[in-house]
């Protein structure tokens, strides 16, 4: 008999927490998970999944337009925000139920209430009940980091975008990263007037420069406006609910229905009681962990965005799996953070794996860069002047591929497969040796000259 109520108590039922809970339970551990909102976490409930549905929904405006050259006509095509929103929210409910069922089927006890750490082996629930656990896993994720200035409380975050009563006519987005560019594409596609405002003069810092330039060029052509090196001074709310946004010291405000703060996400540690067990955090509020996701307290671990290693769902899932294998599966494992593919679901999307051209030059000096700048067949036919760009970064001596970067239709779908080759350390010659699959966009990957 264990001295504790549970072998494992997980705080947070998001991607990392649910994977860790389920796998630990399958190894025979007695597991409980506490969730203050909904099982599934950011990705499923208010992130990747509903966002992707919005991307799909918003892309129909272009598809309908392009369809004319393929012989289709639509009389008076209309878009209804509430229909799309409610379908998405219903799908979120479905996934929430599926996640809940999976946990229950693995005998994981779900406590739908807030939990905080009361001691190294103690968790206090919102109901006041205190439970004990041999191990505690913190998987509380991250939360939008909204800058503070007068009226910044009128800004919305990505959390609220899935619940808007109506489609905003004008949207100002603060930030130039993932969320800014994805929602810029969504609202632009749905017909809103969109302005992206960033503090610096770059978008998507960290992605290959040529791709970022290409996205900017295409986004401007689509009508998305950008303001760079621009700061927010204040926001005032009018009686009708619309917002007056003052920027860059100018006295005349810009009006917007929605101002979206997309300025990064901070580890969610508020009120978590870390101090009650002496769990250490860094200057960015991230819980400090070792390679096995163990904190400075021997029996307390943390996975996912709350550790601010790589803020991506599949990484949190890997960390949750590695935790369960290590602690309950008698198979100590760490996560390999090399060559993690990533994508921005902008329109068109960007997908990337490995080193950018700049990073490769800094690290290797002598590199070769291959690129293919082309218009997808479908775009040519549709008279859409939107060019794709694929780039392969290769180590000069060995021919090993160091990075692969793509912007264009379906780039994430194509890159996921190609990332296997990059991760496996294949050379450009291996790509050259592969016969092209014609006609496709992906064949450009084996035809680089
Ligand atoms: P990002 O880190 O991608 O971008 C933040 C942006 O906000 C940058 O342009 C940055 O400017 C700017 N910024 C940062 N701090 C401030 C500040 N204090 N004031 C004004 N501007 C600021 O964050 P997001 O919010 O877009 O996304 C959060 C995370 O969520 C991402 O890092 C990603 O890991 C994850 N995510 C992943 C997605 C995917 O995989 N497709 C989709 C959505 C989110 P600058 O760079 O110029 O300094």
């Amino acid at each position: 008999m264990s001295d504790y109520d549970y072998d494992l108590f997980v705080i947070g039922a998001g991607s990392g927490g649910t994977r860790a809970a389920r796998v630990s339970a399958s190894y025979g551990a007695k597991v409980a998970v506490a969730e203050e909102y909904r099982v599934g976490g950011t990705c499923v409930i208010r992130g990747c999944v509903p966002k992707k549905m919005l991307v799909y929904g918003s892309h129909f405006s272009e598809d309908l337009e392009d369809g004319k050259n393929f012989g289709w006509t639509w009389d008076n095509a209309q878009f209804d925000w509430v229909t799309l929103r409610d379908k998405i929210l219903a799908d979120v409910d479905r996934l929430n139920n599926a996640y809940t069922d999976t946990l229950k089927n693995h005998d994981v006890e779900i406590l739908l209430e807030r939990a905080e750490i009361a001691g190294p082996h103690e968790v206090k629930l919102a109901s006041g009940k205190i439970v004990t656990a041999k191990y505690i896993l913190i998987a509380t994720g991250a939360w939008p980091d909204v800058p503070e200035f007068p009226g910044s409380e009128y800004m919305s975050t990505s959390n609220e975008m899935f619940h808007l009563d109506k489609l905003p006519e004008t949207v100002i987005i603060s930030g130039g990263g993932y969320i800014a560019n994805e929602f810029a594409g969504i609202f632009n596609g749905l017909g809103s007037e969109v302005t992206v405002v960033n503090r610096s003069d770059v978008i998507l810092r960290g992605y290959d420069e040529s791709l970022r330039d290409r996205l900017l060029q295409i986004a401007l052509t689509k009508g998305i406006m950008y303001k760079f090196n621009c700061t927010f001074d204040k926001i005032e709310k009018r009686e009708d609910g619309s917002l007056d946004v003052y920027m860059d010291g100018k006295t005349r405000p810009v009006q917007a229905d929605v101002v979206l703060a997309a300025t990064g996400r901070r580890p969610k540690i508020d009120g978590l009681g870390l101090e009650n067990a002496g769990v250490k955090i860094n200057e960015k509020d991230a819980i400090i962990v070792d390679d096995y996701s163990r904190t400075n307290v021997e029996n307390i671990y943390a996975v996912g965005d709350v550790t601010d290693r790589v803020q991506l769902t599949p990484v949190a899932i890997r960390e949750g799996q590695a935790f369960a294998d290590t602690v309950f599966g008698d198979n100590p494992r760490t996560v390999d953070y090399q060559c993690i593919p990533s994508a921005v679901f902008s329109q068109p999307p960007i997908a990337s794996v490995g080193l950018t051209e700049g990073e490769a030059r800094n690290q290797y000096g002598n590199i070769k860069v291959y690129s293919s700048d082309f218009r997808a067949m479908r775009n040519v036919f549709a008279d859409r002047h939107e060019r794709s760009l694929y780039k392969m970064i290769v180590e000069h001596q060995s021919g090993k591929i160091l990075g692969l970067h793509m912007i264009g239709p379906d780039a994430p779908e194509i890159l996921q497969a190609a990332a296997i080759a990059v991760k496996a350390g294949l050379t450009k010659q291996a790509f050259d040796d592969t016969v092209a699959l014609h006609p496709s966009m992906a064949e450009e990957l084996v035809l680089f000259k």
Side-chain angles (χ1 to χ4, degrees):
M1 280 290 284
S2 168
D3 295 336
Y4 303 101
D5 298 324
Y6 301 100
D7 298 315
L8 172 66
F9 195 97
V10 182
I11 306 179
S15 301
T18 39
R19 173 59 68 95
R22 171 169 73 73
V23 179
S24 299
S26 73
Y27 287 133
K30 186 178 178 201
V31 184
V33 57
E35 169 56 53
E36 66 176 344
Y37 187 51
R38 302 186 75 186
V39 174
T42 298
C43 174
V44 171
I45 306 295
R46 52 194 164 200
C48 327
V49 172
K51 178 276 309 288
K52 186 91 185 266
M53 298 304 151
L54 285 179
V55 172
Y56 282 136
S58 65
H59 208 272
F60 278 94
S61 54
E62 282 188 2
D63 295 338
L64 292 171
E65 185 63 29
D66 291 354
K68 289 178 187 160
N69 274 13
F70 291 85
W72 291 88
T73 48
W74 282 268
D75 290 330
N76 198 21
Q78 299 286 320
F79 169 70
D80 181 48
W81 164 257
V82 172
T83 303
L84 176 61
R85 182 200 65 190
D86 290 352
K87 277 285 281 177
I88 291 174
L89 293 178
D91 204 49
V92 166
D93 288 345
R94 178 183 67 78
L95 288 167
N96 170 236
N97 289 335
Y99 269 66
T100 304
D101 288 348
T102 304
L103 287 174
K104 285 184 179 162
N105 291 341
H106 284 81
D107 293 328
V108 174
E109 190 178 337
I110 302 172
L111 303 159
L112 284 178
E113 57 185 307
R114 197 176 157 73
E116 66 176 66
I117 293 171
H121 291 279
E122 288 184 349
V123 175
K124 186 177 177 196
L125 299 167
S127 57
K129 187 178 172 191
I130 294 196
V131 296
T132 59
K134 187 171 182 191
Y135 293 97
I136 295 172
L137 178 70
I138 304 164
T140 47
W143 198 249
D145 193 9
V146 180
E148 283 188 20
F149 59 85
S152 65
E153 67 272 19
Y154 299 127
M155 294 175 112
S156 306
T157 70
S158 52
N159 293 345
E160 289 83 59
M161 291 303 101
F162 307 103
H163 299 274
L164 295 174
D165 290 336
K166 59 181 183 166
L167 182 68
E169 281 179 29
T170 47
V171 184
I172 293 178
I173 304 178
S174 171
Y178 282 87
I179 294 177
N181 285 286
E182 293 183 340
F183 274 99
I186 288 166
F187 284 121
N188 175 261
L190 296 178
S192 307
E193 184 185 297
V194 181
T195 309
V196 175
V197 178
N198 199 24
R199 62 176 177 181
S200 72
D201 61 355
V202 297
I203 58 167
L204 294 167
R205 191 184 294 282
Y207 276 90
D208 194 273
E209 209 174 326
S210 333
L211 273 73
R212 296 194 261 142
D213 285 350
R214 179 59 53 92
L215 176 63
L216 188 57
Q217 199 184 320
I218 295 173
L220 286 165
T221 310
K222 288 183 195 290
I224 297 172
M225 291 169 280
Y226 284 83
K227 274 179 188 282
F228 291 117
N229 300 312
C230 183
T231 49
F232 286 78
D233 299 326
K234 64 173 175 178
I235 299 177
E236 288 172 351
K237 193 171 192 167
R238 291 189 193 174
E239 266 183 21
D240 66 0
S242 67
L243 303 169
D244 281 330
V245 184
Y246 294 81
M247 291 176 276
D248 254 357
K250 297 203 173 76
T251 48
R252 188 188 287 242
V254 180
Q255 188 273 337
D257 296 322
V258 165
V259 182
L260 168 60
T263 45
R265 294 171 60 85
R266 269 190 110 70
K268 201 171 175 212
I269 56 158
D270 286 353
L272 197 52
L274 295 178
E275 62 287 354
N276 296 330
V279 175
K280 287 192 182 148
I281 55 171
N282 69 15
E283 67 293 345
K284 289 178 169 171
D285 286 352
I287 295 179
I288 301 169
V289 289
D290 67 11
D291 291 348
Y292 292 92
S293 297
R294 187 195 289 237
T295 70
N296 60 304
V297 181
E298 207 185 4
N299 66 301
I300 301 184
Y301 288 69
V303 295
D305 287 0
V306 77
T307 65
D308 199 21
R309 286 174 281 187
V310 181
Q311 286 190 352
L312 293 176
T313 298
V315 176
I317 292 171
R318 292 239 159 173
E319 289 168 355
Q321 176 80 43
F323 159 81
D325 291 345
T326 301
V327 176
F328 295 105
D330 199 19
N331 177 20
R333 291 209 300 125
T334 58
V335 172
D336 178 359
Y337 293 94
Q338 297 300 310
C339 270
I340 296 172
S342 64
V344 186
F345 292 94
S346 46
Q347 298 183 26
I350 284 179
S352 175
V353 66
L355 302 181
T356 64
E357 182 179 345
E359 288 167 344
R361 279 197 200 289
N362 285 341
Q363 285 186 36
Y364 288 83
N366 208 356
I367 58 162
K368 278 187 168 179
V369 178
Y370 298 88
S371 62
S372 176
D373 189 336
F374 65 99
R375 201 143 65 107
M377 195 188 235
R378 190 193 133 128
N379 282 348
V380 175
F381 200 82
D383 282 336
R384 183 166 291 285
H385 295 275
E386 197 176 297
R387 299 185 70 82
S388 302
L389 179 64
Y390 292 3
K391 263 177 93 169
M392 184 183 268
I393 318 294
V394 177
E395 193 191 355
H396 187 76
Q397 283 291 325
S398 63
K400 186 180 156 192
I401 301 168
L402 302 173
L404 202 51
H405 310 280
M406 306 165 64
I407 178 168
D410 296 333
E413 305 293 342
I414 300 166
L415 185 111
Q416 173 70 85
I420 300 168
V422 180
K423 175 76 182 150
L426 296 193
T427 59
K428 175 170 183 294
Q429 189 62 50
F431 274 61
D432 293 347
D433 291 343
T434 307
V435 174
L437 195 159
H438 185 73
S440 69
M441 294 177 284
E443 68 181 315
E444 296 297 324
L445 292 174
V446 299
L447 298 173
F448 282 122
K449 289 283 176 282

